[in-house]
Amino acid sequence: MRLGLVIDIDTCVGCHACATACKQWNTSGTTGPLTDYRPYGENPSGVWFNRIRHYEIGDYPNNKTINFPMSCMHCEDADCVTVCPTGASYKRAEDGVVLVDQTKCMGCNYCSWACPYGARELDRESGTMKKCTLCIDRIYDEELEEIDRQPACVITCPAHARYFGDFDDPNSEVSKLVRERAGMQLMPELGYNPTNRYLPPRLTTPIPTDDVRKTDLISSVKQWVNKAIAR
Amino acid sequence: MHPAFSVIFFTVTSGAGFGLFTLLAILHVFGLVDMTQETVLWAGIIGLVLVAVGLMSSTFHLANPKNAWRAFFRFKTSWLSREGVFAVLFYPFALLYLLGVFLQGAEINGFFKAMGILGAILAVITIFSTGMIYGCLKTIRQWNTALTPANYIFMGLALGGLLMVSALSYQDGADVMGVTGLTVTLLAIAALAKAVYYFWVAKVTGPTINTATGFTRAAVRLLDTGHTAGTFLTEEFGYEPDHSVVTALKTLVFALGFGLPILLLALVLAGQAGPGMALWATVSAFLGIIAERWLFFAEARHVVNLYHGAQHT
């Protein structure tokens, strides 16, 4: 098995619900708590397993806003695991999930240096490295109904932009999506062979704007007056 | 990268300590320089103290030091673990060698000689491992080069040479010319290797914001990082040194780290100054190489910065 996520950047609306759901589930999960620093003070900060960034692709008028959620990619060649001096970081042979044993970690930060995707964050309170567990305490929990045995971020996504599954199974939904929509890896040139894939935006024809009716002078003045006069 | 003082201090002092021990053992065991028992013991102790102080300071940057003992158990894959193992393995050999000198004087038997040489070999392997901790990271192109461990070894040996001349300057009637010449050569090689390094990292290569996001056929610009305050990632990797500071420090590296020490040792070689001048050369070199090590961290740009808006590293 090779478990991981597929993230559809065509449909992701950038609402940060996945990050919030992740924080909510995992702060009381196996590697919790996800400590917050100054939560109600100035410059609040803290540990997150999942962060969403926003980019502009292309130049106006052929540009597009892209929302970009990123968590651990559960790489096949995970350098964060090989550089770890204590053996706290490990990759499970049975499903490829990369985890940190909180009882062994000495907080040297070296694994976070080796990770190109910024997936690892030091908890300054516990002094240990924390990262996405792919909700390991959820996906194998037989107390839950089968549909709920998925990572919190996947279940919560309102745009249905996240998929969880086994990449080793060619007939799984994630494998099919990667095949059909040319799912890509991030920074493949570094050779980490990340498991998580991103589905690029679908090709769309631009909506023509040349034929949009121009407003005449009188209605322009009316619009201006309506804006200028405060009610 | 955020230049953490503990790691700068650790790499410079332990490198100098290992360099001093390496030169001491080789010059003494092979009889290349006449040394008294006192000189060997003092130089050896200074070397071991520098290594010990450096190793101890390296634990200061750990967030959870109670698990530090576990760092010896991933020798198979981790250069950080290897460095720890080699550094600890170095001690029994170094101490046995110094014990031999303590018991038998400057003329030690074959067993203690072998201990000294094995200690010297382990010392060089440890400096190499320190360099490889940084050199093996594919995420930081400024470090991911063979020049990184080479620089660590050359600078460790050069600082060791300066300390060796300084130690010999306290020995009455010691012939310091050979060691001084060797140290000038080591300093020159270290300076050249560092110059090649600065030339090498000035050219931008590796991942860009395009390969980081997968959009390789269009311009990509950051709109929002998604967080209002700093995160662990921006604090650890977001450090961006002032360009003018970098240029000034690079001048300082070559002036204080290599230029002035070579000049001062040249005065010793020319007979214009006594061997005591080596002490000033050592102080100058330490200042210059601390600046070099600060730059080594401050100038390293991690690829995660691409996700925070950097176009390239």
PDB file of all heavy atoms in Angstrom, chain B residues 99-121:
ATOM      1  N   LEU B  99      47.883   9.861  27.201  1.00  0.00           N
ATOM      2  CA  LEU B  99      48.327   9.111  28.375  1.00  0.00           C
ATOM      3  C   LEU B  99      49.732   8.566  28.138  1.00  0.00           C
ATOM      4  O   LEU B  99      50.599   8.616  29.025  1.00  0.00           O
ATOM      5  CB  LEU B  99      47.349   7.971  28.664  1.00  0.00           C
ATOM      6  CG  LEU B  99      47.674   7.117  29.886  1.00  0.00           C
ATOM      7  CD1 LEU B  99      47.391   7.882  31.171  1.00  0.00           C
ATOM      8  CD2 LEU B  99      46.882   5.806  29.877  1.00  0.00           C
ATOM      9  N   GLY B 100      49.954   8.059  26.918  1.00  0.00           N
ATOM     10  CA  GLY B 100      51.283   7.557  26.561  1.00  0.00           C
ATOM     11  C   GLY B 100      52.343   8.633  26.702  1.00  0.00           C
ATOM     12  O   GLY B 100      53.420   8.399  27.243  1.00  0.00           O
ATOM     13  N   VAL B 101      52.027   9.847  26.212  1.00  0.00           N
ATOM     14  CA  VAL B 101      52.979  10.960  26.323  1.00  0.00           C
ATOM     15  C   VAL B 101      53.187  11.332  27.786  1.00  0.00           C
ATOM     16  O   VAL B 101      54.305  11.619  28.211  1.00  0.00           O
ATOM     17  CB  VAL B 101      52.464  12.178  25.506  1.00  0.00           C
ATOM     18  CG1 VAL B 101      53.398  13.371  25.666  1.00  0.00           C
ATOM     19  CG2 VAL B 101      52.312  11.814  24.044  1.00  0.00           C
ATOM     20  N   PHE B 102      52.106  11.273  28.562  1.00  0.00           N
ATOM     21  CA  PHE B 102      52.191  11.610  29.980  1.00  0.00           C
ATOM     22  C   PHE B 102      53.097  10.616  30.712  1.00  0.00           C
ATOM     23  O   PHE B 102      53.915  10.992  31.546  1.00  0.00           O
ATOM     24  CB  PHE B 102      50.780  11.598  30.585  1.00  0.00           C
ATOM     25  CG  PHE B 102      50.744  11.904  32.053  1.00  0.00           C
ATOM     26  CD1 PHE B 102      50.981  13.198  32.509  1.00  0.00           C
ATOM     27  CD2 PHE B 102      50.476  10.907  32.987  1.00  0.00           C
ATOM     28  CE1 PHE B 102      50.952  13.488  33.853  1.00  0.00           C
ATOM     29  CE2 PHE B 102      50.445  11.194  34.340  1.00  0.00           C
ATOM     30  CZ  PHE B 102      50.685  12.492  34.780  1.00  0.00           C
ATOM     31  N   LEU B 103      52.965   9.308  30.354  1.00  0.00           N
ATOM     32  CA  LEU B 103      53.734   8.269  31.063  1.00  0.00           C
ATOM     33  C   LEU B 103      55.150   8.147  30.543  1.00  0.00           C
ATOM     34  O   LEU B 103      56.095   7.963  31.301  1.00  0.00           O
ATOM     35  CB  LEU B 103      53.019   6.918  30.933  1.00  0.00           C
ATOM     36  CG  LEU B 103      51.646   6.807  31.612  1.00  0.00           C
ATOM     37  CD1 LEU B 103      51.026   5.440  31.285  1.00  0.00           C
ATOM     38  CD2 LEU B 103      51.759   7.004  33.117  1.00  0.00           C
ATOM     39  N   GLN B 104      55.305   8.225  29.201  1.00  0.00           N
ATOM     40  CA  GLN B 104      56.601   7.891  28.613  1.00  0.00           C
ATOM     41  C   GLN B 104      57.371   9.107  28.113  1.00  0.00           C
ATOM     42  O   GLN B 104      58.463   8.961  27.568  1.00  0.00           O
ATOM     43  CB  GLN B 104      56.395   6.908  27.446  1.00  0.00           C
ATOM     44  CG  GLN B 104      55.711   5.617  27.884  1.00  0.00           C
ATOM     45  CD  GLN B 104      55.479   4.664  26.733  1.00  0.00           C
ATOM     46  OE1 GLN B 104      55.564   5.036  25.560  1.00  0.00           O
ATOM     47  NE2 GLN B 104      55.181   3.414  27.058  1.00  0.00           N
ATOM     48  N   GLY B 105      56.795  10.310  28.217  1.00  0.00           N
ATOM     49  CA  GLY B 105      57.484  11.485  27.689  1.00  0.00           C
ATOM     50  C   GLY B 105      57.270  11.595  26.201  1.00  0.00           C
ATOM     51  O   GLY B 105      56.428  10.902  25.619  1.00  0.00           O
ATOM     52  N   ALA B 106      58.064  12.481  25.559  1.00  0.00           N
ATOM     53  CA  ALA B 106      57.870  12.742  24.134  1.00  0.00           C
ATOM     54  C   ALA B 106      58.170  11.508  23.283  1.00  0.00           C
ATOM     55  O   ALA B 106      57.675  11.384  22.160  1.00  0.00           O
ATOM     56  CB  ALA B 106      58.728  13.914  23.696  1.00  0.00           C
ATOM     57  N   GLU B 107      59.020  10.586  23.810  1.00  0.00           N
ATOM     58  CA  GLU B 107      59.342   9.367  23.047  1.00  0.00           C
ATOM     59  C   GLU B 107      58.382   8.261  23.468  1.00  0.00           C
ATOM     60  O   GLU B 107      58.598   7.591  24.469  1.00  0.00           O
ATOM     61  CB  GLU B 107      60.796   8.948  23.325  1.00  0.00           C
ATOM     62  CG  GLU B 107      61.837   9.944  22.846  1.00  0.00           C
ATOM     63  CD  GLU B 107      61.821  10.104  21.327  1.00  0.00           C
ATOM     64  OE1 GLU B 107      61.687   9.082  20.617  1.00  0.00           O
ATOM     65  OE2 GLU B 107      61.902  11.266  20.860  1.00  0.00           O
ATOM     66  N   ILE B 108      57.310   8.044  22.684  1.00  0.00           N
ATOM     67  CA  ILE B 108      56.334   7.021  23.065  1.00  0.00           C
ATOM     68  C   ILE B 108      56.542   5.756  22.237  1.00  0.00           C
ATOM     69  O   ILE B 108      57.151   5.801  21.167  1.00  0.00           O
ATOM     70  CB  ILE B 108      54.878   7.532  22.895  1.00  0.00           C
ATOM     71  CG1 ILE B 108      54.684   8.158  21.512  1.00  0.00           C
ATOM     72  CG2 ILE B 108      54.506   8.489  23.996  1.00  0.00           C
ATOM     73  CD1 ILE B 108      53.266   8.549  21.214  1.00  0.00           C
ATOM     74  N   ASN B 109      56.005   4.626  22.728  1.00  0.00           N
ATOM     75  CA  ASN B 109      56.191   3.364  22.003  1.00  0.00           C
ATOM     76  C   ASN B 109      55.171   3.207  20.873  1.00  0.00           C
ATOM     77  O   ASN B 109      54.275   4.041  20.693  1.00  0.00           O
ATOM     78  CB  ASN B 109      56.160   2.173  22.974  1.00  0.00           C
ATOM     79  CG  ASN B 109      54.786   1.984  23.606  1.00  0.00           C
ATOM     80  OD1 ASN B 109      53.781   2.440  23.070  1.00  0.00           O
ATOM     81  ND2 ASN B 109      54.741   1.316  24.751  1.00  0.00           N
ATOM     82  N   GLY B 110      55.316   2.135  20.135  1.00  0.00           N
ATOM     83  CA  GLY B 110      54.502   1.920  18.933  1.00  0.00           C
ATOM     84  C   GLY B 110      53.016   1.915  19.190  1.00  0.00           C
ATOM     85  O   GLY B 110      52.240   2.453  18.397  1.00  0.00           O
ATOM     86  N   PHE B 111      52.605   1.320  20.332  1.00  0.00           N
ATOM     87  CA  PHE B 111      51.169   1.255  20.631  1.00  0.00           C
ATOM     88  C   PHE B 111      50.575   2.647  20.747  1.00  0.00           C
ATOM     89  O   PHE B 111      49.554   2.962  20.127  1.00  0.00           O
ATOM     90  CB  PHE B 111      50.941   0.474  21.933  1.00  0.00           C
ATOM     91  CG  PHE B 111      49.527   0.540  22.430  1.00  0.00           C
ATOM     92  CD1 PHE B 111      48.526  -0.200  21.807  1.00  0.00           C
ATOM     93  CD2 PHE B 111      49.172   1.378  23.499  1.00  0.00           C
ATOM     94  CE1 PHE B 111      47.215  -0.133  22.261  1.00  0.00           C
ATOM     95  CE2 PHE B 111      47.860   1.451  23.944  1.00  0.00           C
ATOM     96  CZ  PHE B 111      46.883   0.688  23.317  1.00  0.00           C
ATOM     97  N   PHE B 112      51.234   3.515  21.533  1.00  0.00           N
ATOM     98  CA  PHE B 112      50.684   4.856  21.741  1.00  0.00           C
ATOM     99  C   PHE B 112      50.767   5.684  20.457  1.00  0.00           C
ATOM    100  O   PHE B 112      49.919   6.530  20.191  1.00  0.00           O
ATOM    101  CB  PHE B 112      51.400   5.549  22.902  1.00  0.00           C
ATOM    102  CG  PHE B 112      51.067   4.937  24.240  1.00  0.00           C
ATOM    103  CD1 PHE B 112      52.056   4.381  25.034  1.00  0.00           C
ATOM    104  CD2 PHE B 112      49.749   4.897  24.680  1.00  0.00           C
ATOM    105  CE1 PHE B 112      51.742   3.803  26.259  1.00  0.00           C
ATOM    106  CE2 PHE B 112      49.428   4.327  25.904  1.00  0.00           C
ATOM    107  CZ  PHE B 112      50.424   3.773  26.703  1.00  0.00           C
ATOM    108  N   LYS B 113      51.821   5.406  19.655  1.00  0.00           N
ATOM    109  CA  LYS B 113      51.916   6.086  18.352  1.00  0.00           C
ATOM    110  C   LYS B 113      50.710   5.729  17.486  1.00  0.00           C
ATOM    111  O   LYS B 113      50.096   6.591  16.854  1.00  0.00           O
ATOM    112  CB  LYS B 113      53.209   5.696  17.627  1.00  0.00           C
ATOM    113  CG  LYS B 113      54.430   6.435  18.137  1.00  0.00           C
ATOM    114  CD  LYS B 113      55.664   6.055  17.343  1.00  0.00           C
ATOM    115  CE  LYS B 113      56.872   6.841  17.859  1.00  0.00           C
ATOM    116  NZ  LYS B 113      58.120   6.395  17.243  1.00  0.00           N
ATOM    117  N   ALA B 114      50.391   4.436  17.480  1.00  0.00           N
ATOM    118  CA  ALA B 114      49.240   3.981  16.677  1.00  0.00           C
ATOM    119  C   ALA B 114      47.956   4.648  17.157  1.00  0.00           C
ATOM    120  O   ALA B 114      47.110   5.059  16.348  1.00  0.00           O
ATOM    121  CB  ALA B 114      49.107   2.463  16.765  1.00  0.00           C
ATOM    122  N   MET B 115      47.819   4.785  18.493  1.00  0.00           N
ATOM    123  CA  MET B 115      46.626   5.440  19.044  1.00  0.00           C
ATOM    124  C   MET B 115      46.525   6.881  18.520  1.00  0.00           C
ATOM    125  O   MET B 115      45.452   7.356  18.144  1.00  0.00           O
ATOM    126  CB  MET B 115      46.694   5.464  20.583  1.00  0.00           C
ATOM    127  CG  MET B 115      46.559   4.114  21.249  1.00  0.00           C
ATOM    128  SD  MET B 115      45.008   3.292  20.859  1.00  0.00           S
ATOM    129  CE  MET B 115      45.554   2.038  19.751  1.00  0.00           C
ATOM    130  N   GLY B 116      47.681   7.575  18.504  1.00  0.00           N
ATOM    131  CA  GLY B 116      47.706   8.958  18.035  1.00  0.00           C
ATOM    132  C   GLY B 116      47.268   9.068  16.585  1.00  0.00           C
ATOM    133  O   GLY B 116      46.452   9.919  16.220  1.00  0.00           O
ATOM    134  N   ILE B 117      47.814   8.171  15.750  1.00  0.00           N
ATOM    135  CA  ILE B 117      47.479   8.224  14.319  1.00  0.00           C
ATOM    136  C   ILE B 117      46.011   7.872  14.098  1.00  0.00           C
ATOM    137  O   ILE B 117      45.312   8.532  13.318  1.00  0.00           O
ATOM    138  CB  ILE B 117      48.412   7.279  13.516  1.00  0.00           C
ATOM    139  CG1 ILE B 117      49.843   7.811  13.565  1.00  0.00           C
ATOM    140  CG2 ILE B 117      47.952   7.131  12.077  1.00  0.00           C
ATOM    141  CD1 ILE B 117      50.012   9.233  13.066  1.00  0.00           C
ATOM    142  N   LEU B 118      45.516   6.829  14.816  1.00  0.00           N
ATOM    143  CA  LEU B 118      44.093   6.479  14.680  1.00  0.00           C
ATOM    144  C   LEU B 118      43.213   7.645  15.127  1.00  0.00           C
ATOM    145  O   LEU B 118      42.189   7.947  14.509  1.00  0.00           O
ATOM    146  CB  LEU B 118      43.770   5.224  15.493  1.00  0.00           C
ATOM    147  CG  LEU B 118      44.245   3.918  14.871  1.00  0.00           C
ATOM    148  CD1 LEU B 118      44.061   2.758  15.846  1.00  0.00           C
ATOM    149  CD2 LEU B 118      43.484   3.637  13.579  1.00  0.00           C
ATOM    150  N   GLY B 119      43.632   8.329  16.200  1.00  0.00           N
ATOM    151  CA  GLY B 119      42.893   9.508  16.665  1.00  0.00           C
ATOM    152  C   GLY B 119      42.856  10.577  15.592  1.00  0.00           C
ATOM    153  O   GLY B 119      41.807  11.194  15.340  1.00  0.00           O
ATOM    154  N   ALA B 120      44.012  10.800  14.930  1.00  0.00           N
ATOM    155  CA  ALA B 120      44.082  11.824  13.880  1.00  0.00           C
ATOM    156  C   ALA B 120      43.152  11.469  12.722  1.00  0.00           C
ATOM    157  O   ALA B 120      42.448  12.330  12.180  1.00  0.00           O
ATOM    158  CB  ALA B 120      45.519  11.959  13.383  1.00  0.00           C
ATOM    159  N   ILE B 121      43.145  10.167  12.336  1.00  0.00           N
ATOM    160  CA  ILE B 121      42.268   9.736  11.229  1.00  0.00           C
ATOM    161  C   ILE B 121      40.806   9.964  11.614  1.00  0.00           C
ATOM    162  O   ILE B 121      40.019  10.525  10.829  1.00  0.00           O
ATOM    163  CB  ILE B 121      42.522   8.251  10.896  1.00  0.00           C
ATOM    164  CG1 ILE B 121      43.925   8.093  10.283  1.00  0.00           C
ATOM    165  CG2 ILE B 121      41.457   7.716   9.932  1.00  0.00           C
ATOM    166  CD1 ILE B 121      44.381   6.658  10.148  1.00  0.00           C
TER     167      ILE B 121
END
